[in-house]
C-alpha cells in the first residue's frame, strides 16, 4: 500500500488477465487498505481469494474516477460488480 499514490482513482482486482472487480476511491491507499480489514462479506472474501493481481489508475478527481469506473464496468462486465451490469436502469 505504501507505493500507491494518495490520490483518487480506479482499481482493478484481477485473476490473470480477467478483471474480477472495478472500484473507485477518493484515496487509493485508504480504500484498498479497507479490503484487508475484518470482517469482510462472503462476496468480498470470495473475490479476494480468487484475485491474483491488482492494477490501479490514479485520476485528478473523484468525479473522473467515477466516470472511469463506470466505463470500465460497462466494457469489462466484471463478475463481482453486480451493480452497473444491469442495462435496465
Amino acid at each position: 500500500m505504501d507505493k500507491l499514490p494518495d490520490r483518487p482513482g480506479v482499481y482493478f482486482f484481477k485473476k490473470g488477465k480477467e478483471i474480477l472487480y472495478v472500484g473507485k476511491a477518493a484515496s487509493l491507499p485508504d480504500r484498498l487498505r479497507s479490503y484487508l480489514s475484518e470482517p469482510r462479506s462472503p462476496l468480498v472474501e470470495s473475490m479476494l481469494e480468487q484475485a491474483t493481481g491488482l492494477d490501479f489508475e490514479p485520476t485528478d478527481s473523484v468525479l473522473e474516477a467515477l466516470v472511469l469506473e463506470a466505463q470500465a464496468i460497462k466494457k469489462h462486465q466484471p463478475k463481482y460488480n453486480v451493480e452497473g451490469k444491469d442495462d435496465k436502469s
Side-chain angles (χ1 to χ4, degrees):
M1 300 294 160
D2 296 333
K3 295 181 182 183
L4 293 170
D6 191 12
R7 295 178 46 193
V10 177
Y11 55 92
F12 306 86
F13 280 102
K14 299 172 82 176
K15 180 179 180 182
K17 292 186 179 191
E18 175 190 7
I19 295 175
L20 297 173
Y21 181 78
V22 177
K24 67 182 173 310
S27 167
L28 286 166
D30 290 348
R31 180 65 183 111
L32 292 170
R33 196 174 294 113
S34 74
Y35 285 100
L36 303 176
S37 64
E38 300 284 340
R40 292 188 281 249
S41 73
L43 194 64
V44 170
E45 193 69 41
S46 174
M47 178 194 66
L48 292 175
E49 286 173 4
Q50 291 184 43
T52 59
L54 175 70
D55 286 340
F56 64 92
E57 188 171 331
T59 60
D60 292 328
S61 69
V62 175
L63 180 59
E64 187 180 344
L66 178 68
V67 171
L68 187 59
E69 177 198 36
Q71 289 172 340
I73 290 171
K74 190 170 193 153
K75 179 179 179 182
H76 299 288
Q77 296 288 299
K79 176 180 179 177
Y80 287 95
N81 284 93
V82 177
E83 294 180 30
K85 277 186 161 183
D86 189 355
D87 303 307
K88 296 175 188 168
S89 60

